[in-house]
Amino acid sequence: MKHTDIKELFLNGEKFTDKSVTVCGWVRTWRDSKSVSFIELNDGTSLKNIQLIIDKGSLPDNIVKPALVVGASLMVTGKFIVSERNGYEISVTSLEVLGDCPQDYPLQKKHHTLEFLRTIPHLRPRTKYFEAVFGVRNQLSFAIHKYFNDHGYKYVHTPIITGSDCEGAGEMFRVTTQPWNSKAKTEEEYFGGDFFGAKAGLTVSGQLEGEVAAMGLGKIYTFGPTFRAEHSNTTRHAAEFWQIEPEVCFADLKDIIEIAEDFIKFIIKYVVDNCPDEMDYFNERIEKGLKEKLQHVITSEFGKITYTDAVEVLKKSGKEFKYPVEWGSDLQTEHERYLTEEYFKKPVFVTDYPASIKAFYMKQNPDGKTVAATDLLVPGIGEIIGCSERETSLEKLKNAMIVRGMPLESYNEYLDTRKYGSVTHSGFGLGLERILMYITGVQNIRDTLLYPRTVGSL
Ligand code: 4AD
Ligand code: MG
């Protein structure tokens, strides 16, 4: 169907002015007067609707009436004209209803609650809110690829089905083709007959395979779906989320922190520059002061504090936390939010966590208690990045695995990377939905995903 995107019309309005154009889209709203009808049409390419003006004298009623229906899809031709109120409008000369939209269409009103929209995930991309969210998600993804491509990283595709639990937190979804079988006496026997002849699951992180790739390719990143069977029913946890994981050889913790900060600033700036309409919308409708907040993030240095000092800050804060803070315990969201929202008032890297609360692969510090790891915390959300320098010593790595009761034999290939030409290397994982929430002000992770998968809801 030959037609012009509405985005293109707004971008290059002068080129089209007073010419005949054809557009397609869905009716967002319409209104009617004695001699003229108005339709706000949206085709998904632009957050702005194009206003159609229909002179009733020039088009018969039986053509116009079926088009005055919220949700109906149209193909319209008319003269593209400059308008004082809307910038541009189309004075319609011909019109065809592509798809009618009966009265039970759930999006009749202009505003719906996000809770209601979550019950109709198949229709919510037709709302301005979700058009804006998915518009930013798209540009954000592009910015991520651009950053790494511009800096010489190779994009690698790590497996989604895997036998190893990278984070060791026991949150893997199982992948099986086996029917229920009560005859197997042991786990090995049961999974031995399964598709892969072994226990398999959906990856929680591409890191281990990413490290393998980096050990030959130097600098890599992954960008793909990861899965966690976490029972955290919060506004920041999804069972299926997208993660970006760069892995960099010849880089220590200090280097990777610099990379992470530069990267975060770049992708935020890219979105701010390339999604002006969406950012205006979020700034006005979702989070007042959002644009100012992001400008501040781009131009100021992120905070840095060790876990040990952070615990002291929290203890001295005089705040009543639900979970008390003690050295050695994991920071809870309330602690993370105090640090980033009230103490630093900007993004902050908390470094050198106790080894006992972090994953096996992290570089053990000389103090024998902490690891060279960092989480990046941001106001309003908490953790958006988990990061570390990796342990390079084969012996220390094996010991960390033994302490955690991990089966060494399942990680033989990974351990080979430390046996053959081991090098200092570091990496991090950024949750795409978490950074998207931060950039847009969206409060619930369920509103950043096309089809959110969370505990109890598929
Ligand atoms: O801190 P995590 O668990 O780190 C890793 O997976 C490392 N292997 C990363 C690496 O070093 N390559 O997860 C990384 C990030 C978190 O900071 C968070 O942004 C996001 O992934 N994340 C989630 N996002 C949404 N829902 C969940 N359930 C998430 N779990 C983690
Ligand atoms: Mg983490």
Side-chain angles (χ1 to χ4, degrees), residues 166-167 204-205 207 228 230 236-238 241 243 245 247 361 383-388 390 427-431 434 445:
C166 170
E167 292 306 301
V204 298
S205 159
Q207 179 192 324
R228 295 200 186 173
E230 273 176 293
R236 302 168 308 116
H237 288 88
F241 64 98
Q243 205 183 158
E245 297 185 90
E247 193 67 37
Y361 51 72
E383 177 191 338
I384 62 165
I385 278 181
C387 171
S388 63
R390 318 307 191 189
F428 65 81
L430 168 71
R434 296 256 178 107
I445 198 163

Side-chain angles (χ1 to χ4, degrees), residues 335-443:
H335 308 135
E336 295 180 341
R337 293 189 61 168
Y338 173 80
L339 288 170
T340 181
E341 283 164 28
E342 297 185 47
Y343 192 76
F344 282 95
K345 297 190 169 64
K346 61 180 179 181
V348 54
F349 288 103
V350 178
T351 65
D352 304 290
Y353 283 84
S356 56
I357 57 168
K358 288 290 184 190
F360 73 97
Y361 51 72
M362 296 179 177
K363 170 96 175 168
Q364 296 162 36
N365 283 330
D367 65 12
K369 291 189 302 192
T370 61
V371 284
T374 185
D375 281 358
L376 177 62
L377 315 179
V378 299
I381 295 180
E383 177 191 338
I384 62 165
I385 278 181
C387 171
S388 63
E389 185 175 332
R390 318 307 191 189
E391 182 53 66
T392 49
S393 147
L394 183 59
E395 280 321 301
K396 284 187 181 170
L397 190 57
K398 277 187 180 168
N399 280 337
M401 295 171 81
I402 291 165
V403 167
R404 288 166 177 79
M406 294 169 67
L408 293 194
E409 61 288 356
S410 309
Y411 293 83
N412 275 336
E413 292 183 5
Y414 179 71
L415 290 169
D416 272 355
T417 58
R418 307 324 201 245
K419 191 170 152 195
Y420 305 126
S422 189
V423 300
T424 296
H425 63 291
S426 304
F428 65 81
L430 168 71
L432 180 69
E433 291 76 18
R434 296 256 178 107
I435 180 84
L436 183 58
M437 289 168 74
Y438 185 57
I439 294 178
T440 56
V442 167
Q443 292 290 311

